[in-house]
Amino acid sequence: MSVEQIFILGVNHKTAPVAVREKLAFPDVEVPLAMLGEVPGCDEFCFLSTCNRVEVIFTSSSPEKSVRHIRSFLFAASDLSEEQAIEYTYLHQGTEAINHLFRVAASLDSMVVGEPQILGQLKNAYREAAERNCTGVILNRLIHKAFSAAKRVRSETNIGSSAVSISYAAVQLAKKIFGDLKNKKVLLAGAGEMAELAAEHLVAQGCTEVIVANRTLENAVKLAKRFKGKAVSLAELHDQLELVDIMVSSTGAPDLILRKGDVQPLMRPRRNRPLFFIDIAVPRDLDPQLNDIDNVYLYDVDDLSQVVEMNKSGRANEATKAERIILDEALKFLGWIGNMALAPTITDLRQKADEIRRTEMAKTLANLDLSAKEIKAIDKLTSSIINKMLHNPILHLKEDCHQDSKQLKLDMVRRFFALDAQN
Amino acid sequence: MLFTATYAVYAVAGTLYLVFFTSQNKKVRATARKILLGAGILHTITIIARYIAAGHTPLTTHHDTVSFFAWAVTWAFLSFRWRYQIKNFGTFVSLVILALMTVALCSSRVINELPPALQSLWLPIHASIAIAANGFLALGFCGGIMYLLQDRELKKKRFGLFYHRLPSLESLDQLSQHCLTIGFPLLTLGIMTGSLWAKQAWGAYWQWDPKETWSLITWLVYAGLLHQRFAIGWRGRRTAIMSIIGFAAVLFTLWGVNFLLSGAHSYVR
């Protein structure tokens, strides 16, 4: 088994827009795992599907065929051509695949770096695959290593508290203003993807009500349904502003849709409850002077990017530290897989036995006063004992058999004699 | 001697809070809290010792008044800590305590004879209630300062020293409201008991001496603030500024009146 037979084929938020990703959404893993079982050359596999990524981790002895099959399976539900599919997917092989998987598990590849859900999602994906015997010796070891790499990253760095996205920055600011986001109301003006993402974050933090205002009411209704909120027309914006706490604006309007003069009179009926405006539209929707009103806070895209940068610079060291841990764990896995072959296993086995023999001999001989001839005899005796002992296990290892059971045999012998004890 | 020791313990607690503020090392904060609690207890003993030495409630000299003020701030803060936590509040409060203690340290500790007018049960009641009110109002002042600092960074979008270290605007606003809802009734009670005592000592409930006038001004500032908050819904920056102005009035009533103006209270030095 060579490292080069490990692959990851997938789509994530970096390579494909939401419009493409949503076409690849798989409601459960039952069907994909069954389908992957049919893929020619694919020996072990695991299927991970989250809102931001769909990935197949697999080992294959005939990669080209497998990759083509898996890709066409992933894109079966979409109307995209094969060229487009290739453009939106990434394929990692060998060391690169290992690194990628570890980074995913440690949440370094997430949209919100450091968000903790991904590890749980990977664990579920692995459990589903393992229960159906889709994974074998290699992936079992690889994915377990990914878990321990992720745990190390979590405990040895502060990456978990990092916040490196615009939406997260918005949530962070909202928390600095409102403290708790529980029971806060959000108004989305414009039904774009960014607004949706921001709303998703805010709802995840406890915001209860989402109101969507849009030029075309149909889109507003669609988005409102997602958050179980209500839809209003843009004309009703002012009335709604009296009730909400946070407004995310992302309309395509060429001019400002809200001016200082519109908001100022609202503060009295609002009893001065703070209002947080997030303007992610380009060109801007909201009058920059809104920020001058007491208890009103306005952030546009540039302001938010500044917060993101601040978060990043604070965490730069943490990210470097995390990458170092990933590299370290990947090296350990590479060491293991390099040894998962016949020759190194036999060498390791002999070495281990010989090491034991030598230490024990040294201990015994230190207390005895023996002649050179006697020592030589004991040396010969112990050598032949271990050779006889190891003869059958080595024969058993060398015996020709199917690739899968060969891996199992190697794994078993390595465990049995604790040849990977230092890992 | 006991006072100097108390001062030293406060100084250690204050320094540790400052170290915590810059380093955000939680172990330092835990130690700082324990030391502040120790300082509070030691301070209580100091005041009891002063009581025994003077033979009456030790609130008639400037040193004792300010020392008792610091004590009130400390215990108001410690009692708040039971109920809820405000990130880095301790740093600001311990600085105020330390400032008050420094003033007390620098003023004369000679115990003067108590004039007959002041020999009454009203002395401990009036003075301690008034100063306890000041303790809570001082916490409100710290909350106001913290609010303004955080508000400034959020508005200017320049995130410096305070953005990460201070809690949310909402909790700071709530903090000053809590301080006010305890401090204001105490202040009212302090003025009322003072008035009753004045009747007993000087025969009139109110004689417009500067201390009384300034207490009334202070009371009006806080009353106005509370009214605006509950009737109109004032909050945030404006209430923070008002609570700072209110506390400035408290300090003027305490010091400005004694040193700049003279009146019936002026033997409290």
PDB file of all heavy atoms in Angstrom, chain A residues 1 34 68 126 157-158 167 181 209 215 283 302 344 364 386 397 413 420:
ATOM      1  N   MET A   1       0.842  -1.192   0.000  1.00  0.00           N
ATOM      2  CA  MET A   1       0.000   0.000   0.000  1.00  0.00           C
ATOM      3  C   MET A   1       0.878   1.243   0.000  1.00  0.00           C
ATOM      4  O   MET A   1       1.714   1.420   0.878  1.00  0.00           O
ATOM      5  CB  MET A   1      -0.863  -0.001   1.275  1.00  0.00           C
ATOM      6  CG  MET A   1      -1.735   1.216   1.395  1.00  0.00           C
ATOM      7  SD  MET A   1      -3.119   1.079   0.291  1.00  0.00           S
ATOM      8  CE  MET A   1      -3.690   2.750   0.275  1.00  0.00           C
ATOM      9  N   ALA A  34     -23.620   3.438  -0.653  1.00  0.00           N
ATOM     10  CA  ALA A  34     -23.930   2.280  -1.488  1.00  0.00           C
ATOM     11  C   ALA A  34     -23.366   2.490  -2.899  1.00  0.00           C
ATOM     12  O   ALA A  34     -22.747   1.588  -3.478  1.00  0.00           O
ATOM     13  CB  ALA A  34     -25.436   2.067  -1.550  1.00  0.00           C
ATOM     14  N   ARG A  68     -13.155   9.437 -12.011  1.00  0.00           N
ATOM     15  CA  ARG A  68     -14.184   9.793 -12.985  1.00  0.00           C
ATOM     16  C   ARG A  68     -15.561   9.350 -12.507  1.00  0.00           C
ATOM     17  O   ARG A  68     -16.536  10.095 -12.569  1.00  0.00           O
ATOM     18  CB  ARG A  68     -13.851   9.184 -14.345  1.00  0.00           C
ATOM     19  CG  ARG A  68     -14.174  10.174 -15.457  1.00  0.00           C
ATOM     20  CD  ARG A  68     -13.759   9.757 -16.843  1.00  0.00           C
ATOM     21  NE  ARG A  68     -13.659   8.343 -17.070  1.00  0.00           N
ATOM     22  CZ  ARG A  68     -12.495   7.723 -17.320  1.00  0.00           C
ATOM     23  NH1 ARG A  68     -11.375   8.396 -17.343  1.00  0.00           N
ATOM     24  NH2 ARG A  68     -12.477   6.437 -17.537  1.00  0.00           N
ATOM     25  N   TYR A 126     -17.623   9.244   9.469  1.00  0.00           N
ATOM     26  CA  TYR A 126     -16.762   8.079   9.639  1.00  0.00           C
ATOM     27  C   TYR A 126     -17.541   6.908  10.244  1.00  0.00           C
ATOM     28  O   TYR A 126     -17.421   5.763   9.814  1.00  0.00           O
ATOM     29  CB  TYR A 126     -15.561   8.433  10.509  1.00  0.00           C
ATOM     30  CG  TYR A 126     -14.752   7.214  10.894  1.00  0.00           C
ATOM     31  CD1 TYR A 126     -14.042   6.508   9.934  1.00  0.00           C
ATOM     32  CD2 TYR A 126     -14.739   6.753  12.210  1.00  0.00           C
ATOM     33  CE1 TYR A 126     -13.336   5.378  10.268  1.00  0.00           C
ATOM     34  CE2 TYR A 126     -14.032   5.626  12.553  1.00  0.00           C
ATOM     35  CZ  TYR A 126     -13.332   4.933  11.580  1.00  0.00           C
ATOM     36  OH  TYR A 126     -12.649   3.805  11.909  1.00  0.00           O
ATOM     37  N   THR A 157      -3.848  25.236  20.620  1.00  0.00           N
ATOM     38  CA  THR A 157      -3.902  26.583  20.042  1.00  0.00           C
ATOM     39  C   THR A 157      -5.225  27.246  20.420  1.00  0.00           C
ATOM     40  O   THR A 157      -6.124  26.603  20.949  1.00  0.00           O
ATOM     41  CB  THR A 157      -3.814  26.568  18.502  1.00  0.00           C
ATOM     42  OG1 THR A 157      -5.065  26.105  17.981  1.00  0.00           O
ATOM     43  CG2 THR A 157      -2.705  25.697  18.001  1.00  0.00           C
ATOM     44  N   ASN A 158      -5.314  28.526  20.101  1.00  0.00           N
ATOM     45  CA  ASN A 158      -6.544  29.268  20.377  1.00  0.00           C
ATOM     46  C   ASN A 158      -7.418  29.398  19.145  1.00  0.00           C
ATOM     47  O   ASN A 158      -8.293  30.238  19.078  1.00  0.00           O
ATOM     48  CB  ASN A 158      -6.197  30.677  20.843  1.00  0.00           C
ATOM     49  CG  ASN A 158      -5.937  30.695  22.314  1.00  0.00           C
ATOM     50  OD1 ASN A 158      -6.527  29.905  23.050  1.00  0.00           O
ATOM     51  ND2 ASN A 158      -5.072  31.574  22.754  1.00  0.00           N
ATOM     52  N   SER A 167     -19.186  37.567   8.392  1.00  0.00           N
ATOM     53  CA  SER A 167     -20.391  37.293   9.178  1.00  0.00           C
ATOM     54  C   SER A 167     -20.043  37.124  10.642  1.00  0.00           C
ATOM     55  O   SER A 167     -20.746  37.604  11.528  1.00  0.00           O
ATOM     56  CB  SER A 167     -21.068  36.017   8.699  1.00  0.00           C
ATOM     57  OG  SER A 167     -21.210  36.032   7.337  1.00  0.00           O
ATOM     58  N   LEU A 181     -27.514  37.773  22.191  1.00  0.00           N
ATOM     59  CA  LEU A 181     -28.338  37.979  20.997  1.00  0.00           C
ATOM     60  C   LEU A 181     -29.690  37.273  21.103  1.00  0.00           C
ATOM     61  O   LEU A 181     -30.477  37.272  20.164  1.00  0.00           O
ATOM     62  CB  LEU A 181     -27.590  37.508  19.751  1.00  0.00           C
ATOM     63  CG  LEU A 181     -26.317  38.280  19.427  1.00  0.00           C
ATOM     64  CD1 LEU A 181     -25.754  37.862  18.082  1.00  0.00           C
ATOM     65  CD2 LEU A 181     -26.584  39.772  19.429  1.00  0.00           C
ATOM     66  N   GLU A 209     -36.128  36.308  15.538  1.00  0.00           N
ATOM     67  CA  GLU A 209     -37.032  36.639  14.454  1.00  0.00           C
ATOM     68  C   GLU A 209     -36.261  37.211  13.276  1.00  0.00           C
ATOM     69  O   GLU A 209     -35.412  38.077  13.451  1.00  0.00           O
ATOM     70  CB  GLU A 209     -38.065  37.646  14.963  1.00  0.00           C
ATOM     71  CG  GLU A 209     -39.346  37.586  14.189  1.00  0.00           C
ATOM     72  CD  GLU A 209     -40.367  38.539  14.759  1.00  0.00           C
ATOM     73  OE1 GLU A 209     -40.433  38.678  15.989  1.00  0.00           O
ATOM     74  OE2 GLU A 209     -41.082  39.153  13.961  1.00  0.00           O
ATOM     75  N   ARG A 215     -37.129  43.870  -2.868  1.00  0.00           N
ATOM     76  CA  ARG A 215     -37.868  44.537  -3.937  1.00  0.00           C
ATOM     77  C   ARG A 215     -38.872  43.554  -4.552  1.00  0.00           C
ATOM     78  O   ARG A 215     -40.039  43.852  -4.664  1.00  0.00           O
ATOM     79  CB  ARG A 215     -36.889  45.067  -4.990  1.00  0.00           C
ATOM     80  CG  ARG A 215     -37.406  46.163  -5.846  1.00  0.00           C
ATOM     81  CD  ARG A 215     -36.237  46.974  -6.407  1.00  0.00           C
ATOM     82  NE  ARG A 215     -35.157  46.070  -6.840  1.00  0.00           N
ATOM     83  CZ  ARG A 215     -35.035  45.634  -8.087  1.00  0.00           C
ATOM     84  NH1 ARG A 215     -35.873  46.009  -9.020  1.00  0.00           N
ATOM     85  NH2 ARG A 215     -34.050  44.814  -8.394  1.00  0.00           N
ATOM     86  N   PRO A 283     -22.881  49.446  -4.429  1.00  0.00           N
ATOM     87  CA  PRO A 283     -22.673  50.635  -3.605  1.00  0.00           C
ATOM     88  C   PRO A 283     -23.533  50.603  -2.326  1.00  0.00           C
ATOM     89  O   PRO A 283     -24.494  49.870  -2.253  1.00  0.00           O
ATOM     90  CB  PRO A 283     -23.126  51.767  -4.523  1.00  0.00           C
ATOM     91  CG  PRO A 283     -24.102  51.134  -5.460  1.00  0.00           C
ATOM     92  CD  PRO A 283     -23.611  49.744  -5.662  1.00  0.00           C
ATOM     93  N   ASP A 302     -16.208  47.579   4.481  1.00  0.00           N
ATOM     94  CA  ASP A 302     -14.814  47.901   4.803  1.00  0.00           C
ATOM     95  C   ASP A 302     -14.556  47.861   6.306  1.00  0.00           C
ATOM     96  O   ASP A 302     -13.520  47.372   6.756  1.00  0.00           O
ATOM     97  CB  ASP A 302     -14.449  49.288   4.263  1.00  0.00           C
ATOM     98  CG  ASP A 302     -14.341  49.267   2.749  1.00  0.00           C
ATOM     99  OD1 ASP A 302     -14.348  48.154   2.183  1.00  0.00           O
ATOM    100  OD2 ASP A 302     -14.249  50.343   2.148  1.00  0.00           O
ATOM    101  N   PRO A 344       9.362  -3.703   5.592  1.00  0.00           N
ATOM    102  CA  PRO A 344       9.593  -2.963   6.835  1.00  0.00           C
ATOM    103  C   PRO A 344       9.014  -3.675   8.060  1.00  0.00           C
ATOM    104  O   PRO A 344       9.603  -3.634   9.141  1.00  0.00           O
ATOM    105  CB  PRO A 344       8.852  -1.641   6.607  1.00  0.00           C
ATOM    106  CG  PRO A 344       8.586  -1.543   5.171  1.00  0.00           C
ATOM    107  CD  PRO A 344       8.594  -2.907   4.612  1.00  0.00           C
ATOM    108  N   THR A 364      21.372 -10.241  32.311  1.00  0.00           N
ATOM    109  CA  THR A 364      21.772 -11.514  32.912  1.00  0.00           C
ATOM    110  C   THR A 364      23.291 -11.628  33.016  1.00  0.00           C
ATOM    111  O   THR A 364      23.840 -11.995  34.059  1.00  0.00           O
ATOM    112  CB  THR A 364      21.222 -12.683  32.071  1.00  0.00           C
ATOM    113  OG1 THR A 364      19.837 -12.477  31.893  1.00  0.00           O
ATOM    114  CG2 THR A 364      21.474 -14.008  32.765  1.00  0.00           C
ATOM    115  N   ILE A 386      14.596 -16.861  19.236  1.00  0.00           N
ATOM    116  CA  ILE A 386      13.732 -15.853  18.602  1.00  0.00           C
ATOM    117  C   ILE A 386      13.518 -16.179  17.121  1.00  0.00           C
ATOM    118  O   ILE A 386      12.435 -15.956  16.601  1.00  0.00           O
ATOM    119  CB  ILE A 386      14.243 -14.403  18.792  1.00  0.00           C
ATOM    120  CG1 ILE A 386      15.576 -14.179  18.098  1.00  0.00           C
ATOM    121  CG2 ILE A 386      14.284 -13.981  20.231  1.00  0.00           C
ATOM    122  CD1 ILE A 386      15.828 -12.701  17.852  1.00  0.00           C
ATOM    123  N   LEU A 397       2.979 -13.904   7.123  1.00  0.00           N
ATOM    124  CA  LEU A 397       2.941 -12.583   6.492  1.00  0.00           C
ATOM    125  C   LEU A 397       3.241 -12.675   4.998  1.00  0.00           C
ATOM    126  O   LEU A 397       2.611 -12.006   4.184  1.00  0.00           O
ATOM    127  CB  LEU A 397       3.975 -11.652   7.141  1.00  0.00           C
ATOM    128  CG  LEU A 397       3.545 -10.856   8.366  1.00  0.00           C
ATOM    129  CD1 LEU A 397       4.731 -10.076   8.903  1.00  0.00           C
ATOM    130  CD2 LEU A 397       2.415  -9.905   8.026  1.00  0.00           C
ATOM    131  N   VAL A 413      -0.285  -7.952  12.848  1.00  0.00           N
ATOM    132  CA  VAL A 413       1.056  -8.280  13.344  1.00  0.00           C
ATOM    133  C   VAL A 413       1.687  -7.054  14.010  1.00  0.00           C
ATOM    134  O   VAL A 413       2.277  -7.147  15.086  1.00  0.00           O
ATOM    135  CB  VAL A 413       1.950  -8.806  12.201  1.00  0.00           C
ATOM    136  CG1 VAL A 413       3.413  -8.868  12.636  1.00  0.00           C
ATOM    137  CG2 VAL A 413       1.462 -10.178  11.767  1.00  0.00           C
ATOM    138  N   ASP A 420       4.319  -0.174  16.506  1.00  0.00           N
ATOM    139  CA  ASP A 420       4.128   1.266  16.331  1.00  0.00           C
ATOM    140  C   ASP A 420       3.947   1.949  17.687  1.00  0.00           C
ATOM    141  O   ASP A 420       3.275   2.948  17.808  1.00  0.00           O
ATOM    142  CB  ASP A 420       2.897   1.553  15.466  1.00  0.00           C
ATOM    143  CG  ASP A 420       3.076   1.014  14.067  1.00  0.00           C
ATOM    144  OD1 ASP A 420       4.026   1.454  13.403  1.00  0.00           O
ATOM    145  OD2 ASP A 420       2.278   0.157  13.644  1.00  0.00           O
TER     146      ASP A 420
END
